[in-house]
Amino acid sequence: MRTAITLSQVPEALAGPFVLRTPLPEAFATAAVIGFDAVELFLPGPDFIAVDEVKSLTATHGLSIAAVGTGAGMLRHGLSITDADEDMRDAALDFVLSMIDFGGQLAAPAILGSMQGRGSRDLLAAGLRLCGERAASHGVPFIYEPLNRYETNLFNRLGDAAKFIELHDLKNVVLLADLFHMNIEERDLAEAIREAGRHIGHVHFADSNRQAMGFGHTDAKPVIAALREIQYSGCLSAEIFPLPDPETAARQTISSIRSLL
Ligand code: LER
Ligand code: MN
């Protein structure tokens, strides 16, 4: 398993669970110095920075791109791929597809989190199919993230989302296990990970209170054991609040992962 940390460049996401918010060159340098393998990018959109500039930052700092978030489409433009309005839905899909293309050029998968909205499962299946196909053209998966009940009506638990992927035969769509959402919705974190098994393609590594692992009350040992059991080899990505400050949160993430792995 590899370590990753979230970098946000979205002013509207000031209250969000993103650790490093300084300009990208500085944020990449901080992530590398603290010892992360990768960074997860939360950007305003696909044109915020040229792909070549990101490639040069990854090369300079020896980091890879764990994933790219799409949530700015919801935060900045109110877009969701399950919007009942067809024009809004199309605009949402355009945004997500353009983020898939952006990430794809960096060998990074895109994530559908808040842009899933609160719509119908049929619209979700249609959107995920398109996104999975587009991601496949870049040789990366597309990541679907079940969220807690206060953020979506669609899927709150990994096992239900895994069954949905199988029922609709959604190819190249993997699941994001966000331990913060899971702490609210799952009966048992490790059991949920085992149940979703091979469908899990990304992990948001957060403690119960969405702070760095070790700053809340989640028992991370069985979680790591379950991830090992399903032979998860992706990133443990710290999508957490920068508390008490970004550097402490980042360092705590690394030291907790080192003690667990
Ligand atoms: C995004 O990864 C996430 O976990 C959401 O809670 C953000 O709204
Ligand atoms: Mn998340």
Side-chain angles (χ1 to χ4, degrees):
M1 285 176 252
R2 293 153 42 75
T3 56
I5 188 159
T6 48
L7 309 188
S8 173
Q9 299 290 297
V10 179
E12 291 86 347
L14 215 59
F18 306 106
V19 184
L20 304 175
R21 294 133 183 261
T22 51
L24 288 178
E26 197 181 317
F28 271 68
T30 306
V33 165
I34 294 178
F36 286 92
D37 300 315
V39 291
E40 179 174 323
L41 301 178
F42 194 72
L43 304 179
D47 304 320
F48 176 75
I49 181 169
V51 168
D52 281 346
E53 247 181 276
V54 182
K55 280 187 182 161
S56 129
L57 286 169
T58 59
T60 303
H61 299 287
L63 293 163
S64 56
I65 306 298
V68 298
T70 61
M74 167 60 86
L75 265 180
R76 291 172 67 98
H77 312 293
L79 295 173
S80 119
I81 71 158
T82 62
D83 199 301
D85 181 282
E86 192 178 350
D87 290 340
M88 289 295 278
R89 204 159 66 232
D90 286 348
L93 271 168
D94 280 349
F95 186 91
V96 177
L97 292 171
S98 66
M99 289 308 293
I100 292 172
D101 292 339
F102 176 82
Q105 295 170 75
L106 298 159
I111 300 170
L112 183 72
S114 56
M115 276 197 77
Q116 68 192 270
R118 298 166 196 264
S120 85
R121 288 187 176 184
D122 285 345
L123 290 176
L124 177 67
L128 286 177
R129 194 175 306 285
L130 279 178
C131 292
E133 282 166 6
R134 179 68 74 95
S137 75
H138 296 286
V140 294
F142 184 65
I143 304 174
Y144 171 65
E145 178 174 26
L147 302 174
N148 73 70
R149 67 192 70 182
Y150 307 106
E151 295 187 40
T152 187
N153 66 323
L154 286 164
F155 287 99
N156 309 124
R157 287 193 304 271
L158 286 179
D160 295 336
K163 284 188 200 116
F164 179 75
I165 285 176
E166 285 170 15
L167 178 72
H168 289 273
D169 193 23
L170 295 171
K171 300 217 165 40
N172 200 38
V173 176
V174 297
L175 294 178
L176 199 167
D178 182 323
L179 302 181
F180 164 73
H181 297 300
M182 291 172 66
N183 176 62
I184 296 170
E185 300 293 349
E186 305 284 1
R187 196 176 75 80
D188 180 287
L189 300 185
E191 190 181 287
I193 288 167
R194 275 189 222 101
E195 190 185 342
R198 65 185 170 84
H199 291 289
I200 297 178
H202 196 58
V203 172
H204 279 161
F205 198 66
D207 211 321
S208 52
N209 51 5
R210 216 170 208 182
Q211 293 189 37
M213 190 59 78
F215 286 171
H217 59 74
T218 292
D219 181 3
K221 280 203 200 85
V223 170
I224 296 293
L227 288 170
R228 281 196 163 124
E229 234 175 274
I230 65 163
Q231 298 181 328
Y232 178 73
S233 60
C235 282
L236 301 176
S237 185
E239 187 191 61
I240 54 173
F241 296 125
L243 295 173
D245 59 77
E247 186 168 338
T248 308
R251 289 193 186 280
Q252 169 65 23
T253 294
I254 285 289
S255 66
S256 73
I257 294 174
R258 286 201 179 132
S259 70
L260 286 160
L261 290 184

